[in-house]
Each structure stands twice: as structure tokens, then as C-alpha cells.
Amino acid sequence: MPSCPRCDAPVDDEARYCAQCGAPQTEDAAEELDEYVQRQAEQVAGGGGGGSEGGESSASDAFPSMEELSDREQLWRRGSYVVGYGTVVIALTRVPAPESWPLILAGIAILPPIRRLTAEPLGSPLKREVMAGIYAVFALIGIALFVVL
Ligand SMILES: [Zn+2]
């Protein structure tokens, strides 16, 4: 019995794909998979256009808004990192003053990976606005402690 070149699982003589990892076992299967992936990519990019003029123009119509969205997403991510790390660094210089701890929490809360971590127990990621709100609350507590003490 031959074995899968990718995962070494035994593969049936007739099998076109590995039952263990899904790797194609024949040239035909590999080509078929390539075509399938390409079709999926085209569908995602252009809404399934058939490669005609019409399909292309509809794809270019769809792109600006998508790019705009990802630009805003990028900007938000970068801003969150800058604000988060900046806050943590400033807070660390104030340790062990009591205001440093809420500021550290605030900085950590706004870092983008935290949204992914909290998505696990909560089922869905918290909105960016929620993270910004948590940041604002902790930052205000920190600033208040700084002013009061
Ligand atoms: Zn395999």
C-alpha cells in the first residue's frame, strides 16, 4: 500500500486524496485541487465573474470599498498597538505607583491580540469600541489616581 507523501498515512491505491490530511495523491487530483482553489479565490476577489469585461468592471467596482475598509482596519490596528504599547511603557515607568496598574491594564486591553484571546471564552470577539471603552475606563482610573495621590 502506498503512503501519503505529506503525512505518511497509508493511502488506498485508488485514492485520489489522502484520507488523513487531504493531500492530492495523483497529478489529476493535484490539478483539480489547484483549479478549485483558483476558482474559490476568483469568487472571493471578483464575486464569481466569468473573466469577461463585465466581470472585470464589477470586480473593480467592488475593490475600492474593500480596500478602504481594510485600510481603516489597518489604521485602527496600528493605532491600537501604538496607544497600547505607549500606555504600557509610560505605566511601567511609574511602577510601583498605584496609578501604574490600571494604566498597564488599559494598555494591554486595547492591544489587538487581546480581542482574539477574549473571543475564545465569549464566543465572538468584542467590538473595537468595547476595547477602546475598557481602555478609556482603566486609563481614567489611572489618571485619577495620579491626580489624587
Ligand atoms: Zn496525508
Side-chain angles (χ1 to χ4, degrees), residues 4 6-9 18 20-23 25:
C4 169
R6 192 200 275 174
C7 72
D8 275 338
C18 169
Q20 203 66 41
C21 73
Q25 302 298 310

Side-chain angles (χ1 to χ4, degrees), residues 14 60 65 81 84 86-87 89 102 129:
E14 312 273 291
S60 63
S65 66
Y81 273 118
T87 306
V89 167
E129 287 77 6

